[in-house]
């Protein structure tokens, strides 16, 4: 067998009557839809219930699958300790998933934390399911900070593992939508919130899973969504399948979005391999962009490719513009892959005899020595998008009033500690945000006396 049903569901604890104590009535439409999900799962009688939860163990670069044989959980932290769960894990299926991840050299498995307490992102769906169906073991899976494409790939591996074991399995993608839908909500309002909710419900309702991969992660952050990665793993688990889709409900009365959809697999469909399609389009776009890259970016790419492939620092090529050979400046090289930062290192002032040599060295550092990331590997090279910032001379300023996030970068200093942030970065919209991030990078705490410098850059793409 394979995955016989998949469900996109929210996890507000208030929806459980012993927690909501009547307040759950305001989301009755969501409750009714949840009951329908539970009825369908009960009718399918799955042997395994796979649940992805944003509130399970989460790592930046690893998908955590809860280890062990059993898990317990209760809503004690929500004032209802008597509402509890004792669940058994499907160890055989977990071992198969681990084996596939190992074979593919994919960052997923049971390593890391051994927390056996179920989180509310897992327990809320289970509360509805267990009221209707007591059978089946569970698998609880956390999300990661890796790109959306990796979440989709992980979903494909889950599908492969389920098929290999012959399990009747259902997939529960637990996750709320935006948390910033109303001023009166617990997280306030952001204009991106309602846009995210409308967009994800449209995409889910059409089963247009390639579009889930196209969501800008900065936009998702501003919308304060909760479950997008969970939904993308589910999409991967349904890769290549024709679906009967039922969009049951969407509510935002609490300031948080709750959406419920049912996806019933009907059979194989070769037109629904969305990751292949997405990557093909992305590859074409990157190839076109590379043709239009200026000489600064082309030099950075040559440098990092030479170093990663051959372990060699390249020689200065011939026919470079005179300005790259005669001038000195600080340079930052920024590298992105699938929309996510993959490396960024630079120098605030010149350390090499020329801008060209500064680019060569900093491209190597950004791709192999950024402490936040593993070194870039050869099989990643085709997906890299690079830009080069050549820094102007920093000038001291008296206050943040003299900054402009679009025009100026900032250097924040406190004694020997210095933090730098480039201008015009996606997701950095205010001067206070810019300075706060630079302080954090330098390890400068709020309230410490700081000095400010600003600088302009010439950005090469």
């Amino acid at each position: 067998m394979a995955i016989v049903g998949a469900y996109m569901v929210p996890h507000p604890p208030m929806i459980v009557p012993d927690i909501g104590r009547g307040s759950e009535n305001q989301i009755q439409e969501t409750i009714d839809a949840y009951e329908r999900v539970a009825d369908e799962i009960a009718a399918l009688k799955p042997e395994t219930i796979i649940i992805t939860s944003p509130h399970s163990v989460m790592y930046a670069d690893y998908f955590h699958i809860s280890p062990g044989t059993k898990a317990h959980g209760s809503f004690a932290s929500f004032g209802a300790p008597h509402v509890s769960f004792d669940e058994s894990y499907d160890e055989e299926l977990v071992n198969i998933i681990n084996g596939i991840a190992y074979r593919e050299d994919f960052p997923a498995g049971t390593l890391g934390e051994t927390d056996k307490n179920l989180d509310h992102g897992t327990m809320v769906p289970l509360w509805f399911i267990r009221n209707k169906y007591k059978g089946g073991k569970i698998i609880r899976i956390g999300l990661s900070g890796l790109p959306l494409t990796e979440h989709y790939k992980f979903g494909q591996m889950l599908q492969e593992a389920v098929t290999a074991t012959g399990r009747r399995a259902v997939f529960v993608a637990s996750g709320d939508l935006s948390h910033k839908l109303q001023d009166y909500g617990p997280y306030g309002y952001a204009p991106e919130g309602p846009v995210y909710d409308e967009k994800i419900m449209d995409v889910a309702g059409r089963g247009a899973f390639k579009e889930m991969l196209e969501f800008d992660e900065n936009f998702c952050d501003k919308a304060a969504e909760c479950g997008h990665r969970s939904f993308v793993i589910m999409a991967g688990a349904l890769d290549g399948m024709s679906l009967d889709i039922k969009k049951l409900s969407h509510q935002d009365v609490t300031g948080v979005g709750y959406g419920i959809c049912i996806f019933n697999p009907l059979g194989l469909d070769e037109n629904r391999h969305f990751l292949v399609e997405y990557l093909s389009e992305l590859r074409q776009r990157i190839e076109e962009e590379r043709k239009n890259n200026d000489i600064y970016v082309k030099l950075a790419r040559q440098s990092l490719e030479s170093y990663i492939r051959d372990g060699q620092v390249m020689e200065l090529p011939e026919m470079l513009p005179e300005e790259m050979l005669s001038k000195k400046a600080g340079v930052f090289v920024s590298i992105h892959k699938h929309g996510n930062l993959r490396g960024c290192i630079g120098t605030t002032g010149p350390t090499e005899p020329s801008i060209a040599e500064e680019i060569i060295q900093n491209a190597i550092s950004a791709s192999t020595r950024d402490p936040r990331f593993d070194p870039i590997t050869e099989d990643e090279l085709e997906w890299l998008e690079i830009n080069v910032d050549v820094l102007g001379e920093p000038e001291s300023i008296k206050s943040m009033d003299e900054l402009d996030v679009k025009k100026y970068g900032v250097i924040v200093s406190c004694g020997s500690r210095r933090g730098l942030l480039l201008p015009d970065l996606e997701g950095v919209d205010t001067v206070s945000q810019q300075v706060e991030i630079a302080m954090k990078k330098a390890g400068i705490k709020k309230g410490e006396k700081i000095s400010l410098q600003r600088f302009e850059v010439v950005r090469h793409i």
Side-chain angles (χ1 to χ4, degrees):
M1 297 296 293
I3 293 169
V4 294
Y7 310 89
M8 169 180 160
V9 297
H11 49 241
M14 64 171 286
I15 205 171
V16 177
D18 287 300
I19 299 171
R21 297 181 176 87
S23 65
E24 73 274 11
N25 295 330
Q26 63 186 306
I27 54 171
Q28 189 61 47
E29 181 184 335
T30 300
I31 292 171
D32 293 342
Y34 234 133
E35 295 285 358
R36 184 169 171 186
V37 166
D39 284 334
E40 291 212 6
I41 291 175
L44 289 170
K45 293 182 171 56
E47 299 166 90
T48 305
I49 302 165
I50 301 170
I51 303 176
T52 50
S53 170
H55 299 285
S56 183
V57 177
M58 181 173 177
Y59 296 109
D61 56 358
Y62 186 78
F63 293 93
H64 185 264
I65 307 169
S66 295
T69 59
K70 296 180 181 297
H72 173 81
S74 80
F75 285 115
S77 60
F78 297 95
H82 54 287
V83 183
S84 62
F85 303 83
D86 287 290
E87 297 289 336
S88 296
Y89 286 130
D90 187 339
E91 293 177 89
E92 182 187 357
L93 184 52
V94 167
N95 289 336
I96 296 294
I97 297 167
N98 286 344
I100 294 171
Y102 180 80
R103 181 195 74 201
E104 299 294 328
D105 194 24
F106 188 84
T110 53
L111 300 177
E113 295 183 46
T114 57
D115 182 11
K116 294 184 179 180
N117 293 315
L118 298 174
D119 62 283
H120 77 270
T122 300
M123 291 189 292
V124 170
L126 280 176
W127 186 85
F128 284 94
I129 294 168
R130 291 315 189 197
N131 282 339
K132 308 279 179 131
Y133 179 65
K134 305 297 184 185
K137 297 180 179 182
I138 73 166
I139 293 179
R140 180 172 60 133
I141 295 173
L143 313 181
S144 83
L146 293 166
L148 296 178
T149 49
E150 299 303 289
H151 288 73
Y152 196 101
K153 285 179 189 175
F154 187 40
Q156 291 176 299
M157 293 178 188
L158 296 176
Q159 181 193 116
E160 180 183 346
V162 169
T163 302
T165 57
R167 289 286 195 276
R168 284 181 61 82
V170 295
F171 193 109
V172 178
S174 177
D176 298 335
L177 308 186
S178 170
H179 283 64
K180 292 192 173 183
L181 296 176
Q182 305 286 353
D183 288 327
Y184 58 74
Y187 304 94
Y189 173 82
E192 292 83 2
V195 176
Y196 175 83
D197 270 35
E198 181 180 355
K199 188 174 179 182
I200 191 62
M201 290 305 296
D202 171 63
V203 168
R206 291 184 289 112
F209 294 153
K210 181 170 75 72
E211 294 178 34
M212 283 191 184
L213 297 168
E214 296 168 351
F215 276 63
D216 179 78
E217 298 218 29
N218 181 53
F219 164 73
C220 288
D221 287 343
K222 289 182 177 179
E225 57 78 23
C226 168
H228 196 83
R229 287 170 170 79
S230 194
F231 309 149
V232 173
I233 297 176
M234 177 195 68
L238 297 172
D239 184 68
M241 295 185 185
S242 175
L243 301 172
D244 174 40
I245 302 169
K246 304 181 185 74
K247 185 165 68 171
L248 300 187
S249 66
H250 173 229
Q251 288 190 282
D252 65 354
V253 294
T254 67
V256 178
Y258 307 132
I260 296 184
C261 292
I262 293 174
F263 305 88
N264 291 318
L266 301 176
L268 299 179
D269 186 342
E270 290 302 315
N271 294 315
R272 292 184 61 81
H273 293 294
F274 294 115
L275 183 61
V276 172
E277 186 179 338
Y278 173 79
L279 292 178
S280 175
E281 293 178 3
L282 179 61
R283 184 181 288 107
Q284 291 177 15
R285 179 176 65 78
I286 292 174
E287 287 175 356
E288 286 301 314
E289 287 178 354
R290 286 185 185 184
K291 293 176 185 176
N292 297 317
N293 285 156
D294 72 9
I295 188 62
Y296 289 74
V297 175
K298 287 179 178 176
L299 179 61
R301 187 179 296 280
Q302 280 181 272
S303 173
L304 68 86
E305 287 184 351
S306 172
Y307 192 82
I308 290 168
R309 285 189 172 125
D310 307 318
Q312 300 292 321
V313 178
M314 66 177 288
E315 299 288 336
L316 275 174
E318 297 180 2
M319 305 301 290
L320 288 175
E322 178 61 26
E323 65 180 30
M324 295 180 71
L325 299 171
S326 61
K327 293 183 179 180
K328 300 180 181 182
V331 168
F332 269 74
V333 176
S334 302
I335 306 167
H336 287 78
K337 175 187 171 188
H338 300 323
N340 286 54
L341 185 66
R342 190 62 181 85
C344 179
I345 283 184
T347 43
T348 58
T351 62
E352 298 290 334
S354 68
I355 288 175
E357 288 160 288
E358 202 85 32
I359 291 171
I360 288 172
Q361 292 297 330
N362 290 349
I364 292 170
S365 294
S367 59
T368 64
R369 298 169 190 155
D370 189 326
R372 297 169 294 179
F373 306 100
D374 290 332
I376 289 172
T377 57
E378 188 170 348
D379 62 351
E380 296 180 86
L381 294 177
E382 67 172 316
W383 304 111
L384 302 183
E385 297 177 85
I386 301 168
N387 62 267
V388 174
D389 288 305
V390 179
L391 278 59
E393 192 70 28
E395 60 175 324
S396 296
I397 57 174
K398 294 180 179 179
S399 75
M400 293 195 298
D401 293 337
E402 298 178 72
L403 290 171
D404 179 331
V405 291
K406 296 296 182 185
K407 183 178 181 181
Y408 296 113
V410 66
I411 300 172
V412 183
S413 302
C414 179
S416 61
R417 291 169 291 165
R418 301 179 83 208
L420 177 148
L421 201 69
L422 297 169
D424 197 19
L425 295 178
E426 192 173 32
V428 181
D429 302 315
T430 66
V431 166
S432 59
Q433 190 181 7
Q434 184 186 41
V435 171
E436 182 181 341
I437 295 170
M439 288 175 64
K440 188 177 294 186
K441 290 174 72 173
I444 301 171
K445 295 178 181 177
K446 205 170 185 179
E448 292 191 78
K449 188 175 180 180
I450 60 172
S451 60
L452 298 172
Q453 292 176 293
R454 71 182 186 185
F455 59 90
E456 294 186 68
V457 305
V458 177
R459 180 158 294 165
H460 298 268
I461 57 175

